[in-house]
Structures are given as C-alpha cells and as structure tokens.
Amino acid sequence: MNQTRLHLFLALLICSGCLLFVAFSVGSQVPEVKVVVNPSVDSKDLSVEQIRRIFSMRQTTWSNDQTITVYVLANQHQTHQVFSTKVLGMFPYQLDRIWNKLVYSGLGEEPIKLQSEEEMLERVSQEPGAIGYVMQPINLDKINVIKVLEK
C-alpha cells in the first residue's frame, strides 16, 4: 500500500514538473521584433550599431543620401519595449533622454511616434526612406524586413 502511494506521488511530481516546464517555456517566448523599411531603401541588412545610430537620430540619411524617416511606437507599447531592450540593448527611457537632448539643444528632432503596429506598417510602406519595427505578421509586398547583424 505504501509503495503504491509512493509511485503515485512520484508520478504526480513528474507530471507537475513537466507542466511547469511547458508553461514557463511557452510563456517566456517573446515574438521576434522585425525591423522594417520602405522598399525604396537599398539596405537588406544593418548592424545593431547602425540601427542604434538610426533610432537615436544620429544617422539621418541612408548610404545613397536618401533621408531616413524614423517611426517608433509609444513607450508603453510592448513592441517598443521589446525592440528597445532586445534589439537596441537599452531601455525606452534611455532613448527618450537621447531624443530630448537632441530636441532641447536644437541639434536634431525626435522620431515620429505612432500608436499601433498597423499604423507603423502603413506609414513605413508609404514614406520613402522610412524605418520602423513590428512584431506582427507582415505583407512583404509593401514593406521590406531588414536582417539585423549582431556584429
């Protein structure tokens, strides 16, 4: 009788462990953020450093001298938070500080802030030289996805 209880307890313990493993591994997966550009942009890939320069408004033109129009989402938006931390390697408030310094010193402008990923895709697809980011699926007819090179 005691051995039956022990076997039942061990089976229950193993099942609980498996369920916890699945729950944490599925719950911790964050969808991938994709950097998107208007089809007029020649670049097919960018380094993390280039993306940081673009989104911190230090690089304002593409290699062919086309003006870069930078679109971002609101700081509270999950996609913006994931993009800032996972792609740029900084927190959203750090980006805000960079943009505020540029604006208040008169040396530059902040990016155009949008409210949704749908609006991001629409604006990037319509503006030559535009760049942005999304986590949702993309219609590749109107927009290009940039490959992010780690180093």
Side-chain angles (χ1 to χ4, degrees):
M1 185 74 169
N2 281 341
Q3 195 158 6
T4 306
R5 283 186 179 174
L6 180 62
H7 287 268
L8 185 60
F9 176 74
L10 288 175
L12 185 62
L13 188 62
I14 290 171
C15 288
S16 298
C18 289
L19 285 174
L20 284 173
F21 174 77
V22 169
F24 280 112
S25 64
V26 170
S28 65
Q29 291 177 358
V30 176
E32 180 183 356
V33 176
K34 296 174 251 351
V35 177
V36 294
V37 294
N38 183 277
S40 68
V41 174
D42 292 335
S43 300
K44 301 297 178 216
D45 53 45
L46 294 170
S47 69
V48 171
E49 186 54 41
Q50 288 173 300
I51 293 172
R52 276 192 201 117
R53 280 196 311 268
I54 291 169
F55 281 91
S56 64
M57 308 304 283
R58 289 180 290 172
Q59 179 177 335
T60 57
T61 60
W62 295 107
S63 58
N64 63 359
D65 291 329
Q66 182 180 34
T67 301
I68 299 174
T69 303
V70 179
Y71 292 105
V72 296
L73 295 167
N75 282 354
Q76 310 85 306
H77 201 288
Q78 179 190 10
T79 302
H80 179 71
Q81 293 174 2
V82 172
F83 172 76
S84 297
T85 56
K86 302 289 184 194
V87 177
L88 299 179
M90 60 179 70
F91 293 107
Y93 74 86
Q94 292 172 303
L95 269 176
D96 268 347
R97 284 183 183 167
I98 292 168
W99 299 333
N100 288 337
K101 282 181 186 177
L102 286 172
V103 171
Y104 295 127
S105 67
L107 296 174
E109 298 177 7
E110 64 182 358
I112 300 166
K113 292 187 179 180
L114 305 175
Q115 297 303 311
S116 70
E117 290 188 35
E118 292 79 17
E119 185 181 11
M120 174 83 70
L121 290 172
E122 183 179 328
R123 299 282 293 269
V124 170
S125 71
Q126 293 174 356
E127 179 71 34
I131 188 169
Y133 52 86
V134 295
M135 285 198 300
Q136 72 179 36
I138 300 169
N139 177 354
L140 293 174
D141 295 338
K142 299 178 178 182
I143 211 149
N144 292 342
V145 176
I146 291 288
K147 181 179 180 181
V148 179
L149 304 173
E150 293 301 319
K151 290 286 175 178

